[in-house]
Amino acid sequence: MMLIDKVKGYIHSHQLLQSGETYIVALSGGADSVALLLILKELGYSVEAAHCNFNLRGEESKRDEDFCVSLCASRGIKLHRAHFDTFEYAHLHKVSIEMAARNLRYHYFDQLRLAIGAKGICVAHHLNDNVETLLLNLIRGTGIQGLTGMASRNGFVLRPLLDVRHEEIREYLHSINQAFVIDSTNLEDDVLRNKIRLNVIPMLEGLNPAVVDNIAKTIHNLVDAKVVLDDVTKQFMSHGVAVMDSYSSCPSNDVNTNTLSDSQYLSIDIPKLLASPSARFLLYELIKGYHFNSSQIDDIVSKLKIRDSEGDFCSRTWFSNEYEAIIDRQQLIITKKSKEKFREMSIPEPGVYILPTGQKLNVDPIPIKSFKLEKDKSVACLDAEKTAFPLKIRAIQNGDRFIPFGMSGTKLVSDYLTNIKASVIQRRNQLVITEQNDHIIWLVKERPDNRFRISPSTKNILRLHIL
């Protein structure tokens, strides 16, 4: 049949399914999910159905479940069923009924996927659903991501019918004499998506009968445009963005711009951002994953036009639920919200210590004959005889002074950090290690104190390594 061939081609071109793997089909009993289940089975894929009863529609919910049981039994397809108290979940989590059902459904599907070793979860969203999604996002306000509608693949969620019109699905079911159930709530225009489906799209079709197909083509065009824009963003990230270590001025070894650990921050080069064709677009793409809204991003971009007397960008801070964005000199910093200050920790003897930050500190005495010069900033090698235990590791304090390696006079730690242009995050997290008399022996990951340096008279070395 033409529809089966169309779905087969879509699956192949988007590399959605693999033969020999098992897939879960989300089965509501409605026309779309019934068609998806039967088409995938006809194409030879190993499928198991999953039905969720949300207990929202009384006897109609029971009717849907009974239909799914009967359908799967008649077709020799294994069916998994789950029952939910959706009203209670929505009340406990303070979300809408629609959001509660969605969360329950996908959480169950994912648990089931892991339990049976399924490769993915196939859902029956189709072309009309995608057009509705675009209009829904447009009404609410969106960027280019929202205008591309739903993706054929979103993690383990797969959409093999995304290029198929709802009318084609109905015609297919009619041609094979296959019944299905109708959810009566889909016929009520009490939620926004239903209003779009029942009122807005018919009105648009009155202006142009081909409006659904035309919007679908526009989605395809925007998907192609997004590929280009994603490449632009990727190129900018290669030279204008860095993931930095919060405890030094060095790039982090573990780089992932999508998630930041407590010991990392994202640094965006402001002059390079402003020199790009669209600073606002790039900034949105770079920090949208940190839950800053469009109004905040607009405000950040406007503040990037303000400089102080030294030519630096004026300091400002914005907050999302988990993160803060800070303008600091020539960079825009994204970091997790400030945690409690580092708790002072005693180091009574050589050994391995786990710090409150989760970092590891190795304190090892080594003979001078084993000494090798290391250029790693996470390592400090000191004269063991001059470095009396117990040591302490703590956050910097007002008035802290030390003699930077290679210098003769003392210097305020705060002045030293200013001179090296340490970021506000490094200042906030900078650690020092002190010896028995509370003299700083190491400005961690920056500079040892000159008084404790290795000299020709050194006999033993104390090696400090923070990981």
Side-chain angles (χ1 to χ4, degrees), residues 204-233:
L204 293 174
E205 287 177 325
L207 299 174
N208 182 353
V211 67
V212 171
D213 289 331
N214 288 343
I215 293 176
K217 290 175 184 175
T218 299
I219 290 174
H220 287 304
N221 293 338
L222 288 167
V223 168
D224 289 341
K226 189 175 184 304
V227 171
V228 176
L229 292 171
D230 285 346
D231 186 60
V232 170
T233 304

mmCIF file of all heavy atoms in Angstrom, residues 204-233:
data_model
loop_
_atom_site.group_PDB
_atom_site.id
_atom_site.type_symbol
_atom_site.label_atom_id
_atom_site.label_comp_id
_atom_site.label_asym_id
_atom_site.label_seq_id
_atom_site.Cartn_x
_atom_site.Cartn_y
_atom_site.Cartn_z
ATOM 1 N N LEU A 204 -8.014 28.773 8.487
ATOM 2 C CA LEU A 204 -6.899 28.985 7.554
ATOM 3 C C LEU A 204 -7.119 28.227 6.252
ATOM 4 O O LEU A 204 -6.779 28.710 5.171
ATOM 5 C CB LEU A 204 -5.580 28.543 8.206
ATOM 6 C CG LEU A 204 -5.099 29.372 9.411
ATOM 7 C CD1 LEU A 204 -3.872 28.734 10.039
ATOM 8 C CD2 LEU A 204 -4.806 30.811 8.998
ATOM 9 N N GLU A 205 -7.691 27.031 6.349
ATOM 10 C CA GLU A 205 -7.984 26.261 5.144
ATOM 11 C C GLU A 205 -9.050 26.931 4.302
ATOM 12 O O GLU A 205 -9.088 26.748 3.073
ATOM 13 C CB GLU A 205 -8.418 24.842 5.523
ATOM 14 C CG GLU A 205 -7.266 23.986 6.018
ATOM 15 C CD GLU A 205 -7.703 22.606 6.470
ATOM 16 O OE1 GLU A 205 -8.818 22.493 7.029
ATOM 17 O OE2 GLU A 205 -6.931 21.653 6.287
ATOM 18 N N GLY A 206 -9.886 27.746 4.941
ATOM 19 C CA GLY A 206 -10.853 28.535 4.185
ATOM 20 C C GLY A 206 -10.169 29.594 3.350
ATOM 21 O O GLY A 206 -10.661 29.983 2.275
ATOM 22 N N LEU A 207 -9.008 30.076 3.820
ATOM 23 C CA LEU A 207 -8.229 31.066 3.067
ATOM 24 C C LEU A 207 -7.375 30.386 2.001
ATOM 25 O O LEU A 207 -7.174 30.926 0.913
ATOM 26 C CB LEU A 207 -7.317 31.845 4.026
ATOM 27 C CG LEU A 207 -8.020 32.643 5.132
ATOM 28 C CD1 LEU A 207 -6.985 33.234 6.086
ATOM 29 C CD2 LEU A 207 -8.878 33.752 4.523
ATOM 30 N N ASN A 208 -6.854 29.196 2.335
ATOM 31 C CA ASN A 208 -6.020 28.443 1.389
ATOM 32 C C ASN A 208 -6.142 26.962 1.734
ATOM 33 O O ASN A 208 -5.605 26.516 2.752
ATOM 34 C CB ASN A 208 -4.562 28.894 1.482
ATOM 35 C CG ASN A 208 -3.674 28.175 0.475
ATOM 36 O OD1 ASN A 208 -4.103 27.244 -0.204
ATOM 37 N ND2 ASN A 208 -2.415 28.598 0.384
ATOM 38 N N PRO A 209 -6.807 26.172 0.910
ATOM 39 C CA PRO A 209 -7.006 24.744 1.207
ATOM 40 C C PRO A 209 -5.690 23.968 1.396
ATOM 41 O O PRO A 209 -5.682 22.916 2.030
ATOM 42 C CB PRO A 209 -7.775 24.231 -0.016
ATOM 43 C CG PRO A 209 -8.440 25.447 -0.579
ATOM 44 C CD PRO A 209 -7.498 26.578 -0.325
ATOM 45 N N ALA A 210 -4.615 24.490 0.852
ATOM 46 C CA ALA A 210 -3.328 23.796 0.955
ATOM 47 C C ALA A 210 -2.500 24.272 2.148
ATOM 48 O O ALA A 210 -1.295 24.001 2.225
ATOM 49 C CB ALA A 210 -2.536 23.989 -0.334
ATOM 50 N N VAL A 211 -3.121 24.956 3.112
ATOM 51 C CA VAL A 211 -2.369 25.593 4.187
ATOM 52 C C VAL A 211 -1.578 24.579 5.016
ATOM 53 O O VAL A 211 -0.432 24.835 5.402
ATOM 54 C CB VAL A 211 -3.291 26.444 5.091
ATOM 55 C CG1 VAL A 211 -4.268 25.572 5.873
ATOM 56 C CG2 VAL A 211 -2.462 27.295 6.045
ATOM 57 N N VAL A 212 -2.153 23.407 5.313
ATOM 58 C CA VAL A 212 -1.449 22.419 6.131
ATOM 59 C C VAL A 212 -0.189 21.931 5.421
ATOM 60 O O VAL A 212 0.897 21.870 6.010
ATOM 61 C CB VAL A 212 -2.373 21.237 6.492
ATOM 62 C CG1 VAL A 212 -1.582 20.108 7.141
ATOM 63 C CG2 VAL A 212 -3.484 21.697 7.429
ATOM 64 N N ASP A 213 -0.326 21.596 4.135
ATOM 65 C CA ASP A 213 0.843 21.154 3.368
ATOM 66 C C ASP A 213 1.879 22.261 3.245
ATOM 67 O O ASP A 213 3.090 22.010 3.314
ATOM 68 C CB ASP A 213 0.423 20.682 1.970
ATOM 69 C CG ASP A 213 -0.342 19.362 2.010
ATOM 70 O OD1 ASP A 213 -0.095 18.565 2.930
ATOM 71 O OD2 ASP A 213 -1.191 19.140 1.127
ATOM 72 N N ASN A 214 1.408 23.489 3.068
ATOM 73 C CA ASN A 214 2.338 24.615 2.926
ATOM 74 C C ASN A 214 3.110 24.864 4.219
ATOM 75 O O ASN A 214 4.320 25.140 4.198
ATOM 76 C CB ASN A 214 1.585 25.880 2.507
ATOM 77 C CG ASN A 214 1.107 25.818 1.071
ATOM 78 O OD1 ASN A 214 1.579 24.996 0.283
ATOM 79 N ND2 ASN A 214 0.166 26.677 0.702
ATOM 80 N N ILE A 215 2.416 24.776 5.352
ATOM 81 C CA ILE A 215 3.100 24.958 6.642
ATOM 82 C C ILE A 215 4.078 23.818 6.861
ATOM 83 O O ILE A 215 5.191 24.025 7.367
ATOM 84 C CB ILE A 215 2.090 25.057 7.796
ATOM 85 C CG1 ILE A 215 1.270 26.350 7.675
ATOM 86 C CG2 ILE A 215 2.808 25.032 9.147
ATOM 87 C CD1 ILE A 215 0.169 26.500 8.713
ATOM 88 N N ALA A 216 3.680 22.599 6.461
ATOM 89 C CA ALA A 216 4.592 21.450 6.606
ATOM 90 C C ALA A 216 5.864 21.660 5.784
ATOM 91 O O ALA A 216 6.972 21.345 6.239
ATOM 92 C CB ALA A 216 3.882 20.168 6.186
ATOM 93 N N LYS A 217 5.710 22.212 4.571
ATOM 94 C CA LYS A 217 6.887 22.501 3.741
ATOM 95 C C LYS A 217 7.752 23.574 4.395
ATOM 96 O O LYS A 217 8.989 23.514 4.349
ATOM 97 C CB LYS A 217 6.450 22.961 2.359
ATOM 98 C CG LYS A 217 5.829 21.850 1.501
ATOM 99 C CD LYS A 217 5.300 22.409 0.182
ATOM 100 C CE LYS A 217 4.600 21.332 -0.638
ATOM 101 N NZ LYS A 217 3.984 21.874 -1.871
ATOM 102 N N THR A 218 7.093 24.550 5.011
ATOM 103 C CA THR A 218 7.835 25.600 5.711
ATOM 104 C C THR A 218 8.647 25.010 6.863
ATOM 105 O O THR A 218 9.794 25.416 7.095
ATOM 106 C CB THR A 218 6.865 26.666 6.246
ATOM 107 O OG1 THR A 218 6.165 27.254 5.146
ATOM 108 C CG2 THR A 218 7.609 27.757 7.008
ATOM 109 N N ILE A 219 8.059 24.044 7.560
ATOM 110 C CA ILE A 219 8.789 23.368 8.639
ATOM 111 C C ILE A 219 10.047 22.709 8.091
ATOM 112 O O ILE A 219 11.137 22.832 8.660
ATOM 113 C CB ILE A 219 7.892 22.338 9.350
ATOM 114 C CG1 ILE A 219 6.800 23.048 10.159
ATOM 115 C CG2 ILE A 219 8.723 21.425 10.266
ATOM 116 C CD1 ILE A 219 5.781 22.117 10.786
ATOM 117 N N HIS A 220 9.922 22.015 6.968
ATOM 118 C CA HIS A 220 11.095 21.374 6.351
ATOM 119 C C HIS A 220 12.160 22.415 5.997
ATOM 120 O O HIS A 220 13.366 22.184 6.199
ATOM 121 C CB HIS A 220 10.690 20.610 5.091
ATOM 122 C CG HIS A 220 9.939 19.341 5.371
ATOM 123 N ND1 HIS A 220 10.434 18.348 6.173
ATOM 124 C CD2 HIS A 220 8.723 18.907 4.948
ATOM 125 C CE1 HIS A 220 9.573 17.348 6.244
ATOM 126 N NE2 HIS A 220 8.519 17.663 5.508
ATOM 127 N N ASN A 221 11.714 23.567 5.455
ATOM 128 C CA ASN A 221 12.661 24.637 5.108
ATOM 129 C C ASN A 221 13.374 25.163 6.352
ATOM 130 O O ASN A 221 14.588 25.424 6.334
ATOM 131 C CB ASN A 221 11.931 25.784 4.408
ATOM 132 C CG ASN A 221 11.399 25.389 3.044
ATOM 133 O OD1 ASN A 221 11.875 24.436 2.431
ATOM 134 N ND2 ASN A 221 10.396 26.113 2.559
ATOM 135 N N LEU A 222 12.614 25.313 7.429
ATOM 136 C CA LEU A 222 13.199 25.834 8.665
ATOM 137 C C LEU A 222 14.145 24.821 9.305
ATOM 138 O O LEU A 222 15.145 25.204 9.909
ATOM 139 C CB LEU A 222 12.086 26.225 9.650
ATOM 140 C CG LEU A 222 11.303 27.485 9.260
ATOM 141 C CD1 LEU A 222 10.048 27.612 10.106
ATOM 142 C CD2 LEU A 222 12.182 28.725 9.422
ATOM 143 N N VAL A 223 13.827 23.544 9.157
ATOM 144 C CA VAL A 223 14.740 22.509 9.653
ATOM 145 C C VAL A 223 16.076 22.605 8.923
ATOM 146 O O VAL A 223 17.151 22.531 9.540
ATOM 147 C CB VAL A 223 14.120 21.103 9.475
ATOM 148 C CG1 VAL A 223 15.169 20.021 9.714
ATOM 149 C CG2 VAL A 223 12.943 20.902 10.427
ATOM 150 N N ASP A 224 16.020 22.799 7.599
ATOM 151 C CA ASP A 224 17.258 22.962 6.820
ATOM 152 C C ASP A 224 18.015 24.217 7.251
ATOM 153 O O ASP A 224 19.253 24.209 7.380
ATOM 154 C CB ASP A 224 16.938 23.044 5.324
ATOM 155 C CG ASP A 224 16.472 21.713 4.748
ATOM 156 O OD1 ASP A 224 16.735 20.674 5.389
ATOM 157 O OD2 ASP A 224 15.848 21.718 3.671
ATOM 158 N N ALA A 225 17.265 25.309 7.475
ATOM 159 C CA ALA A 225 17.905 26.561 7.907
ATOM 160 C C ALA A 225 18.562 26.389 9.268
ATOM 161 O O ALA A 225 19.654 26.912 9.520
ATOM 162 C CB ALA A 225 16.863 27.683 7.963
ATOM 163 N N LYS A 226 17.912 25.625 10.134
ATOM 164 C CA LYS A 226 18.474 25.416 11.465
ATOM 165 C C LYS A 226 19.780 24.638 11.404
ATOM 166 O O LYS A 226 20.687 24.862 12.228
ATOM 167 C CB LYS A 226 17.474 24.696 12.370
ATOM 168 C CG LYS A 226 17.909 24.650 13.837
ATOM 169 C CD LYS A 226 16.860 24.055 14.713
ATOM 170 C CE LYS A 226 17.327 24.123 16.169
ATOM 171 N NZ LYS A 226 18.618 23.470 16.396
ATOM 172 N N VAL A 227 19.898 23.733 10.447
ATOM 173 C CA VAL A 227 21.146 22.990 10.276
ATOM 174 C C VAL A 227 22.296 23.967 10.007
ATOM 175 O O VAL A 227 23.386 23.851 10.579
ATOM 176 C CB VAL A 227 21.032 21.961 9.135
ATOM 177 C CG1 VAL A 227 22.393 21.354 8.805
ATOM 178 C CG2 VAL A 227 20.043 20.862 9.504
ATOM 179 N N VAL A 228 22.023 24.953 9.134
ATOM 180 C CA VAL A 228 23.035 25.966 8.813
ATOM 181 C C VAL A 228 23.359 26.807 10.046
ATOM 182 O O VAL A 228 24.531 27.059 10.361
ATOM 183 C CB VAL A 228 22.548 26.862 7.658
ATOM 184 C CG1 VAL A 228 23.556 27.978 7.393
ATOM 185 C CG2 VAL A 228 22.321 26.041 6.393
ATOM 186 N N LEU A 229 22.311 27.240 10.753
ATOM 187 C CA LEU A 229 22.523 28.075 11.935
ATOM 188 C C LEU A 229 23.225 27.309 13.050
ATOM 189 O O LEU A 229 24.046 27.875 13.775
ATOM 190 C CB LEU A 229 21.177 28.610 12.427
ATOM 191 C CG LEU A 229 20.503 29.619 11.490
ATOM 192 C CD1 LEU A 229 19.088 29.924 11.950
ATOM 193 C CD2 LEU A 229 21.316 30.910 11.391
ATOM 194 N N ASP A 230 22.916 26.029 13.178
ATOM 195 C CA ASP A 230 23.619 25.211 14.175
ATOM 196 C C ASP A 230 25.106 25.130 13.860
ATOM 197 O O ASP A 230 25.949 25.128 14.771
ATOM 198 C CB ASP A 230 23.028 23.794 14.227
ATOM 199 C CG ASP A 230 21.676 23.746 14.934
ATOM 200 O OD1 ASP A 230 21.329 24.740 15.597
ATOM 201 O OD2 ASP A 230 20.986 22.721 14.809
ATOM 202 N N ASP A 231 25.424 25.082 12.566
ATOM 203 C CA ASP A 231 26.829 25.036 12.166
ATOM 204 C C ASP A 231 27.526 26.357 12.502
ATOM 205 O O ASP A 231 28.673 26.364 12.949
ATOM 206 C CB ASP A 231 26.940 24.744 10.665
ATOM 207 C CG ASP A 231 28.378 24.535 10.225
ATOM 208 O OD1 ASP A 231 29.024 23.614 10.749
ATOM 209 O OD2 ASP A 231 28.864 25.307 9.370
ATOM 210 N N VAL A 232 26.809 27.472 12.304
ATOM 211 C CA VAL A 232 27.358 28.789 12.666
ATOM 212 C C VAL A 232 27.629 28.840 14.164
ATOM 213 O O VAL A 232 28.685 29.315 14.617
ATOM 214 C CB VAL A 232 26.384 29.909 12.249
ATOM 215 C CG1 VAL A 232 26.830 31.253 12.825
ATOM 216 C CG2 VAL A 232 26.282 29.997 10.733
ATOM 217 N N THR A 233 26.666 28.343 14.945
ATOM 218 C CA THR A 233 26.822 28.323 16.399
ATOM 219 C C THR A 233 28.017 27.456 16.793
ATOM 220 O O THR A 233 28.819 27.835 17.654
ATOM 221 C CB THR A 233 25.548 27.787 17.072
ATOM 222 O OG1 THR A 233 24.429 28.578 16.665
ATOM 223 C CG2 THR A 233 25.667 27.839 18.584
#
